[in-house]
Amino acid sequence: MKKFKSILILLAGIFSTLPAMAQTSEVSWVSQMQQMESSQLTLLIILAVVLGVIVLLLILMIYLMSFMVAVFKKENPELANEPSWWDEFKLKYITGKMKPVGGKEEKQLMLDHNYDGIVELDNHMPPWLVNVFYLTIAFAVVYFTYYSVLGLGKTQLEEYAEEQRLAAIKIEQYQATAVSSIDENSVVFDESASALSAGQQIFSANCVACHASDGGGGVGPNLTDEYWIHGGSIQDIFRVTKYGVPEKGMIPWADQLSPEEMQQVSSYIKTLVGTTPANPKAPQGEKLDPEQPIEEEVIEEATIVAEVK
């Protein structure tokens, strides 16, 4: 009866720790269960109940077997002196047979190792430790054969390369999403060679008619000096490029260029500041810090901006 109570207490302790384990670990199975259909969830509950009944029956069988062994030992005195199955199992697979201290076998097994009168017995390793050692050898052989000989499993370098490949795909997906969402608030100055080269091509194809190929200006203002009509920050230039100034002849480019392309050409325009064009147009606007966005009251309209520079 004491064994049965101890088993029940052990099971109760295990089940009581499950909620805490679920809270401290990443329980993805919880979300998966929430996504199940009612029929699937019902089937899962039935299987869990059946499994619980099976476990309970096994516990009862063990308890009944222990009870019957105890009864047989009381009825037959010879069986009472025999060791139980647990004692035999422990002796064979866990502790092993230790040499008796003080007996004749101890004197025969004493080694020459003597330290201050303390001698060492030549006891064998306990069976559980020997079995663990054999298991490690078997595992090493299987591991080596699986990964190195047959080449079925991925090595650490192959797993690392696969993780890099998956990470590169995620980065591309993120960049594609981020690029498509660029606006006048999230735009940044992209100084990479590829972005500036693309921006120069866009500028040469669409902007030279009004601003000259070197940015010196013509119909549009000079883009190389420090004077700005509506601000010289990357946000201001992007805003002007995006919305345009239709009343002054500059069309909005939002319907012809992608957000990434508008960022590229805006970044290229930033690189023109400080250069020396062939025929620079006279300064227009005010001398402003190009890194500071222009104040809202200077902009003629809140939603659109006037001509670049």
Side-chain angles (χ1 to χ4, degrees), residues 6-22:
S6 62
I7 293 174
L8 291 180
I9 294 174
L10 179 61
L11 292 176
I14 294 174
F15 285 113
S16 64
T17 58
L18 289 179
M21 294 174 61

Side-chain angles (χ1 to χ4, degrees), residues 123-136:
N123 281 312
H124 295 287
M125 294 176 61
W128 71 267
L129 187 57
V130 175
N131 293 332
V132 170
F133 179 68
Y134 290 152
L135 286 175
T136 57

Side-chain angles (χ1 to χ4, degrees), residues 175-221:
Q175 289 179 343
T177 304
V179 165
S180 63
S181 61
I182 295 175
D183 58 15
E184 54 272 24
N185 297 316
S186 61
V187 62
V188 294
F189 174 65
D190 191 350
E191 59 182 349
S192 62
S194 59
L196 295 179
S197 176
Q200 183 180 14
Q201 294 178 5
I202 297 171
F203 184 88
S204 300
N206 301 285
C207 307
V208 296
C210 297
H211 298 282
S213 60
D214 54 8
V219 177

Side-chain angles (χ1 to χ4, degrees), residues 50-226:
V50 172
L51 181 61
V53 171
I54 293 174
V55 172
L56 183 60
L57 290 176
L58 289 175
I59 295 174
L60 291 175
M61 288 178 61
I62 294 174
Y63 172 71
L64 290 175
M65 290 176 62
S66 301
F67 179 75
M68 292 175 64
V69 169
V71 172
F72 291 152
K73 284 184 177 180
K74 287 183 179 180
E75 294 180 352
N76 192 346
E78 296 179 357
L79 295 177
N81 297 328
E82 293 183 359
S84 64
W85 66 270
W86 170 248
D87 294 333
E88 294 180 354
F89 177 83
K90 183 171 62 173
L91 182 65
K92 188 174 182 180
Y93 297 104
I94 300 179
T95 60
K97 185 177 180 180
M98 303 297 293
K99 308 305 178 185
V101 178
K104 183 179 179 180
E105 295 183 9
E106 178 185 13
K107 296 180 181 179
Q108 295 176 353
L109 295 174
M110 280 185 180
L111 300 180
D112 295 334
H113 298 175
N114 188 322
Y115 302 95
D116 296 332
I118 301 174
V119 295
E120 181 182 24
L121 294 181
D122 187 19
N123 281 312
H124 295 287
M125 294 176 61
W128 71 267
L129 187 57
V130 175
N131 293 332
V132 170
F133 179 68
Y134 290 152
L135 286 175
T136 57
I137 295 176
F139 178 81
V141 172
V142 173
Y143 185 91
F144 180 78
T145 304
Y146 183 78
Y147 285 96
S148 300
V149 178
L150 301 179
L152 299 177
K154 293 182 179 180
T155 63
Q156 292 181 343
L157 293 177
E158 292 173 342
E159 290 181 352
Y160 179 69
E162 179 66 14
E163 291 293 335
Q164 284 186 319
R165 186 185 69 83
L166 296 177
I169 295 175
K170 292 181 179 179
I171 291 174
E172 291 179 358
Q173 294 175 349
Y174 171 78
Q175 289 179 343
T177 304
V179 165
S180 63
S181 61
I182 295 175
D183 58 15
E184 54 272 24
N185 297 316
S186 61
V187 62
V188 294
F189 174 65
D190 191 350
E191 59 182 349
S192 62
S194 59
L196 295 179
S197 176
Q200 183 180 14
Q201 294 178 5
I202 297 171
F203 184 88
S204 300
N206 301 285
C207 307
V208 296
C210 297
H211 298 282
S213 60
D214 54 8
V219 177
N222 185 356
L223 301 176
T224 62
D225 56 30
E226 298 179 350

Side-chain angles (χ1 to χ4, degrees), residues 176-286:
T177 304
V179 165
S180 63
S181 61
I182 295 175
D183 58 15
E184 54 272 24
N185 297 316
S186 61
V187 62
V188 294
F189 174 65
D190 191 350
E191 59 182 349
S192 62
S194 59
L196 295 179
S197 176
Q200 183 180 14
Q201 294 178 5
I202 297 171
F203 184 88
S204 300
N206 301 285
C207 307
V208 296
C210 297
H211 298 282
S213 60
D214 54 8
V219 177
N222 185 356
L223 301 176
T224 62
D225 56 30
E226 298 179 350
Y227 291 83
W228 300 87
I229 300 175
H230 302 293
S233 69
I234 188 66
Q235 292 84 4
D236 295 325
I237 298 174
F238 185 92
R239 188 183 297 111
V240 172
T241 305
K242 180 177 180 180
Y243 297 110
V245 188
E247 63 274 14
K248 293 188 178 181
M250 181 174 178
I251 63 173
W253 292 96
D255 55 348
Q256 300 186 42
L257 299 177
S258 67
E260 182 183 15
E261 291 174 331
M262 288 189 289
Q263 176 177 263
Q264 292 170 345
V265 71
S266 300
S267 299
Y268 174 72
I269 291 173
K270 288 280 293 180
T271 64
L272 295 176
V273 179
T275 60
T276 304
N279 297 305
K281 190 176 180 179
Q284 293 176 278
E286 298 180 4

